[in-house]
Amino acid sequence: MKKLTMEDLVNYCKQYGFIFQGSEIYNGLANSWDFGPLGTLLKENLRNAWKQKFVQENKYNYGLDAAIIMNPKVWVASGHVASFADPLIDCKKCKSRHRADKLIEDFTNGEVTADGWSNEEIEKYIAEHNIVCPVCGKMDYTPIRKFNLLFETSIGVTDDTKNTVYLRGETAQGIFTNFKNVERSMRAKVPFGICQTGKAFRNEITPGNFIFRTREFEQMELEFFCKPGTDLEWFGYWKNYCMDFLRTLGLDSEKLRMRDHAKEELAFYSKATTDIEYLFPMGWGELWGIADRTDYDLSVHQEHSGEDLRYLDPETNEKYLPYVIEPSVGLDRLLLAILANSYQVEEIGENDTREVLKINPALAPVKVNILPLVKKIHGEKATEIYSELCKKFSCSYDESGSIGKRYRRADAIGTPFCITIDDETINNNTVTVRNRDTMEQEVVNINDLEDYIVKAVTL
Ligand code: GAP
């Protein structure tokens, strides 16, 4: 089978309505992407799968939907205003711009990461290893400058610095600032977690690789509050929980790996951090970051807000700031992994291939494709069945072309079931259900159809 490239994926996504270039009729805006009808459905299914696993099925966790624009003091307290920055370096010869830490990462095929290094350490490594400009091949760089990733805007009618606010750079801060609200209102006992999904914004220096790194993306974050001393145990629990979830979604185990951050790579407040990486078409890349953040976040917000954010343990009467375990994953990046993992051009017999998205049926944008065998004869019955099934599942209706062609169109977008309505449906109340993966057909009574599909598309 031919190795899938990112270009193949971009073309596939455009052709079938998953993802389009943003502002395309104006020649686009670099690295901005719009989710089309199928991309929207897939994104929603993934978000719901995460919510189901992390909120609904987990007895410790609650949901939250905090504001995107927060009091700017939040971002001062969290350290983002002072140090949420990437090391920017320019090539003096060809004027191309790079993230200096990425130059090292790419040069070493991800073996060395410069997270947490000073500018001087990065410059020294680049010089000592003769890491040339990937665009022109020369070795003539400017000194590194720090470039803050927060997007600034202002509220109110006057545009002065007093009104400066930020588009959130991560969803996590809305969770920390609501720690006490959730604890009180839900009478939550530590350990407990708060989950949030939503857009985050970063003025990335080097966005790219399709939707892998963009300036506007959606995160799905959990901040899990636990008693200091129990944190490493919970860190292990959440690492396994996340890995388990990815496998349930259908990502191949051999394309997943955990990378523990070395001591010198850890943020100063972090006791342990692990990235779950996926083998994307362009190579291994971070999919999910899981960090033991100690009590750093609650302590800085306590200090800056003046509010007591400590937890009173009702059993021991002890007051303490909980430690936080944070599993944080990008929804767009997960969607990219799912598409890359599922898309295939499959050989089906001599000189014949089919495009098929072998996606977990629970995530498939369209669950059922309804096909009247002959439009004039079976159209009415097919419409009737469509009207019933679409109340429960996302369905499509296809009456044009041969059945074989209609199957292929459904396979290409990952629809798990094609249901053919024919004379048997009218005479015997049965339909023919064709399975996307096995391509086998089964006769099912209409009365059993809903249960049949529910079973197959439930995670
Ligand atoms: N609150 C912690 C945090 O935001 P992060 O490692 O910066 O940590 C977490 O981001 C996850 O968000 C990443 O593992 C990745 O999946 C996703 N992500 C981060 N930056 C992104 C970007 N520019 N484009 C798309 N996804 C991104």
Side-chain angles (χ1 to χ4, degrees):
M1 207 193 307
K2 179 182 164 276
K3 192 175 171 282
L4 181 76
T5 65
M6 200 60 101
E7 202 187 340
D8 295 333
L9 258 190
V10 174
N11 292 337
Y12 167 78
C13 285
K14 178 170 179 171
Q15 183 183 351
Y16 289 104
F18 282 88
I19 302 169
F20 308 123
Q21 189 185 13
S23 318
E24 193 173 353
I25 60 168
Y26 289 96
N27 289 331
L29 174 70
N31 300 294
S32 89
W33 301 96
D34 295 340
F35 284 79
L38 296 190
T40 312
L41 286 167
L42 174 53
K43 216 175 183 187
E44 206 166 276
N45 293 344
L46 264 176
R47 194 188 296 113
N48 287 340
W50 182 86
K51 282 187 183 165
Q52 184 185 322
K53 175 84 177 176
F54 281 79
V55 187
Q56 191 175 315
E57 290 179 15
N58 191 287
K59 64 180 181 185
Y60 299 108
N61 295 343
Y62 302 92
L64 181 79
D65 184 9
I68 288 181
I69 297 175
M70 305 176 76
N71 188 315
K73 289 179 187 162
V74 169
W75 302 102
V76 174
S78 66
H80 284 77
V81 170
S83 55
F84 189 46
D86 277 341
L88 178 69
I89 199 169
D90 290 328
C91 171
K92 288 198 218 158
K93 285 278 181 284
C94 71
K95 312 288 179 222
S96 60
R97 182 156 281 178
H98 307 277
R99 244 178 77 179
D101 55 334
K102 281 288 290 166
L103 288 179
I104 295 176
E105 223 177 284
D106 293 345
F107 177 75
T108 60
N109 280 327
E111 294 299 317
V112 178
T113 49
D115 283 0
W117 292 15
S118 68
N119 289 356
E120 293 69 33
E121 283 168 321
I122 298 176
E123 280 168 354
K124 191 162 166 246
Y125 191 97
I126 290 175
E128 278 175 0
H129 293 82
N130 196 31
I131 304 178
V132 295
C133 168
V135 177
C136 70
K138 298 285 184 310
M139 174 77 193
D140 189 5
Y141 294 114
T142 59
I144 291 174
R145 309 183 299 291
K146 287 285 185 199
F147 178 76
N148 195 291
L149 302 185
L150 283 180
F151 271 109
E152 276 184 26
T153 184
S154 52
I155 44 170
V157 284
T158 48
D159 184 15
D160 69 40
T161 51
K162 280 199 293 277
N163 300 329
T164 296
V165 288
Y166 305 97
L167 299 185
R168 66 180 174 202
E170 59 176 16
T171 59
Q173 297 306 322
I175 297 181
F176 297 128
T177 52
N178 277 293
F179 165 67
K180 274 281 153 190
N181 281 334
V182 174
E183 190 227 325
R184 271 190 223 110
S185 59
M186 305 311 290
R187 295 183 296 119
K189 305 262 180 307
V190 167
F192 73 92
I194 306 176
C195 296
Q196 169 160 233
T197 70
K199 287 260 180 172
F201 305 84
R202 296 182 187 177
N203 200 358
E204 297 278 2
I205 304 170
T206 52
N209 281 320
F210 195 21
I211 55 166
F212 180 83
R213 190 181 309 284
T214 49
R215 296 196 169 99
E216 177 186 333
F217 55 97
E218 193 165 331
Q219 286 188 313
M220 306 194 288
E221 299 200 284
L222 158 67
E223 306 301 327
F224 187 78
F225 302 94
C226 62
K227 191 170 180 176
T230 64
D231 48 312
L232 285 176
E233 208 175 303
W234 283 113
F235 179 66
Y237 170 91
W238 287 111
K239 278 197 323 189
N240 291 335
Y241 200 86
C242 295
M243 200 49 134
D244 223 48
F245 176 64
L246 293 175
R247 292 204 186 103
T248 310
L249 295 183
L251 292 184
D252 296 337
S253 290
E254 66 274 14
K255 289 187 178 163
L256 287 167
R257 70 181 185 192
M258 291 213 196
R259 192 181 69 77
D260 296 331
H261 285 212
K263 219 170 171 196
E264 45 302 349
E265 209 189 318
L266 290 175
F268 70 90
Y269 49 77
S270 175
K271 228 163 120 178
T273 299
T274 296
D275 291 340
I276 300 182
E277 298 184 332
Y278 178 76
L279 186 55
F280 289 94
M282 75 288 181
W284 289 98
E286 176 188 331
L287 177 58
W288 206 323
I290 302 148
D292 179 340
R293 299 179 61 93
T294 65
D295 62 1
Y296 171 75
D297 307 279
L298 289 182
S299 67
V300 292
H301 285 305
Q302 174 166 272
E303 188 190 324
H304 284 250
S305 68
E307 289 283 323
D308 185 356
L309 299 180
R310 287 174 303 166
Y311 173 73
L312 173 64
D313 190 318
E315 271 158 34
T316 60
N317 263 346
E318 202 187 339
K319 265 191 164 184
Y320 62 84
L321 277 177
Y323 271 27
V324 168
I325 309 300
E326 177 193 70
S328 171
V329 63
L331 174 54
D332 315 68
R333 208 175 272 191
L334 180 56
L335 187 145
L336 180 65
I338 294 284
L339 284 176
N341 203 84
S342 314
Y343 177 77
Q344 297 174 18
V345 179
E346 190 181 58
E347 292 193 6
I348 46 167
E350 244 175 81
N351 301 327
D352 197 9
T353 57
R354 66 165 180 160
E355 252 187 317
V356 56
L357 192 72
K358 286 203 171 164
I359 192 170
N360 185 320
L363 300 178
V366 179
K367 308 290 191 234
V368 181
N369 189 22
I370 293 161
L371 322 170
L373 184 63
V374 181
K375 184 176 150 185
K376 273 195 198 142
I377 308 172
H378 310 113
E380 198 181 321
K381 187 70 184 166
T383 307
E384 199 183 292
I385 293 173
Y386 174 85
S387 319
E388 279 310 306
L389 287 183
C390 70
K391 290 179 191 157
K392 308 281 178 191
F393 315 102
S394 155
C395 299
S396 59
Y397 184 91
D398 191 356
E399 58 185 15
S400 62
S402 69
I403 287 287
K405 279 207 178 108
R406 289 186 252 172
Y407 283 165
R408 293 292 168 87
R409 284 199 287 265
D411 290 344
I413 60 163
T415 305
F417 301 112
C418 283
I419 295 180
T420 304
I421 316 302
D422 54 20
D423 288 348
E424 291 298 309
T425 317
I426 292 163
N427 299 332
N428 294 328
N429 212 34
T430 59
V431 292
T432 307
V433 180
R434 185 257 194 186
N435 183 298
R436 174 197 72 199
D437 297 342
T438 62
M439 295 194 281
E440 278 170 10
Q441 302 183 4
E442 200 179 336
V443 175
V444 177
N445 191 290
I446 293 183
N447 301 330
D448 302 329
L449 201 50
E450 191 181 316
D451 282 353
Y452 181 97
I453 301 163
V454 167
K455 256 192 217 125
V457 302
T458 305
L459 261 189

